[in-house]
Amino acid sequence: MECPNCKLNEDLEFTRKVVKAGILRGAQRYYCNHCKTHFSEKRKVKIENKNSHQITILDIAKHLGIAPSTVSKALNNKSDINFETKNLIVKLANDLNYKPNHFAKSLSRGNSNTIGVIIPNIERPFFAAVLAGIQSVASKAGYSVIICQSDESHQTEILNIQTLMASRVDGLLISHTKETSTFEHLKIHLNKGVPIVHFDRISNEINSSKITHQNKEGSFQLVEHLIENGCKRIAILAGPKELLISNDRLDGYLAALNKYGIP
DNA sequence: GCCAGAGGCACCCATATTCG
DNA sequence: CGAATATGGGTGCCTCTGGC
């Protein structure tokens, strides 16, 4: 132990002059009577990196005795690198099973290549089909998708948005809960320039992109098509409670039936 | 002087730690 | 207690070196 100011060694005189002065953030604190200053004990063991098992470009660089930036260039097919050096780096990366850290990539690039999706209920076939479509398109574009379920709870929807934004998603696709009537939790992010797209359940209160379908008109055309193709009797199956037909869709069915006088 | 190859530093950002 | 610093991985940009 040595006082950083006096630089005195740990002799008898020194031990008389330095006294323990409590614990500060896990480290022993001392007070030097000679120079009248406080100082902390240096930590002897460096805190291990929790992800130290993961191979990084630094490991590859150290192994080959070159700079990390050279490794980065080699692994990302940049032009200004020697062919043989590049081959050495790529071979070692393969041997060590190197995988890029996506968090660090998003840190430097400012984007995560990830899209957040919030749906009210994953059990509804409609949303399952929408998710399949989103996943397919996003994957082709090189994006990953994080899916959250609000479970028709406004509070859960807010928490989902906070979680997705903390994960630095590049954009958000959302279908609101039935409880949602205020949109401040979305406007904050929209004003910061985060792309937000509403689908299925939309609101005109918020100035975002919207994708919806016309239930009433679509249902009307569906029934009309059946009637014009010879159907005389039409049964409407409501299904289980969670799959009940929406009112506007039912209005469409009934309007078409009334038009053709079919009970 | 020009060019290719390589090195090194700042930056991104949140969090933990250190220090006065 | 607040300010300063370190940490993590990867990239962009600038600088340096050596060969021609």
Side-chain angles (χ1 to χ4, degrees), chain A residues 33-258:
Chain A
N33 281 313
H34 178 70
C35 60
K36 309 289 182 192
T37 59
H38 284 88
F39 64 95
S40 296
E41 185 179 31
K42 294 279 183 188
R43 295 191 174 221
K44 289 170 185 169
V45 180
K46 189 185 173 185
I47 296 167
E48 288 288 325
N49 174 15
K50 289 176 185 173
N51 297 319
S52 58
H53 62 280
Q54 187 180 358
I55 298 296
T56 67
I57 60 167
L58 198 62
D59 296 322
I60 297 170
K62 278 181 183 172
H63 202 280
L64 295 173
I66 56 176
S69 51
T70 307
V71 178
S72 173
K73 286 169 185 173
L75 296 175
N76 289 285
N77 284 322
K78 301 292 179 184
S79 56
D80 55 342
I81 186 165
N82 180 278
F83 184 72
E84 286 181 4
T85 309
K86 182 181 172 181
N87 280 347
L88 270 176
I89 292 166
V90 171
K91 185 179 182 305
L92 183 62
N94 286 333
D95 289 347
L96 297 175
N97 196 26
Y98 164 79
K99 295 282 181 292
N101 184 318
H102 290 289
F103 287 105
K105 266 190 176 181
S106 61
L107 189 63
S108 63
R109 287 180 179 172
N111 64 46
S112 60
N113 269 34
T114 304
I115 297 167
V117 182
I118 302 175
I119 55 169
N121 189 339
I122 202 165
E123 291 175 359
R124 278 185 57 189
F126 168 74
F127 288 121
V130 168
L131 286 179
I134 291 170
Q135 181 72 58
S136 172
V137 173
S139 180
K140 282 175 189 169
Y143 279 78
S144 300
V145 177
I146 299 177
I147 300 162
C148 293
Q149 180 181 226
S150 59
D151 207 16
E152 297 291 5
S153 159
H154 180 59
Q155 199 55 42
T156 305
E157 179 179 299
I158 292 171
L159 287 173
N160 285 342
I161 289 170
Q162 288 172 350
T163 302
L164 290 172
M165 289 307 161
S167 300
R168 305 188 173 279
V169 294
D170 293 341
L172 193 63
L173 290 161
I174 182 167
S175 182
H176 284 294
T177 73
K178 289 175 182 171
E179 287 182 356
T180 303
S181 57
T182 60
F183 300 91
E184 296 308 315
H185 57 302
L186 272 175
K187 285 178 184 172
I188 294 168
H189 303 293
L190 201 58
N191 291 339
K192 287 178 183 173
V194 178
I196 297 175
V197 177
H198 287 81
F199 66 95
D200 189 36
R201 295 175 189 171
I202 62 171
S203 169
N204 291 327
E205 193 183 312
I206 190 162
N207 184 25
S208 64
S209 301
K210 300 173 182 72
I211 301 169
T212 186
H213 47 85
Q214 295 175 313
N215 279 343
K216 189 173 178 179
E217 289 77 3
S219 303
F220 182 91
Q221 288 173 10
L222 174 66
V223 173
E224 191 172 48
H225 176 77
L226 290 171
I227 293 169
E228 287 178 351
N229 282 278
C231 282
K232 302 294 181 191
R233 300 174 72 184
I234 294 170
I236 299 171
L237 301 175
K241 185 182 172 185
E242 63 272 17
L243 298 178
L244 280 176
I245 298 168
S246 62
N247 286 340
D248 53 350
R249 201 170 290 173
L250 193 59
D251 287 347
Y253 292 144
L254 296 176
L257 292 171
N258 286 336

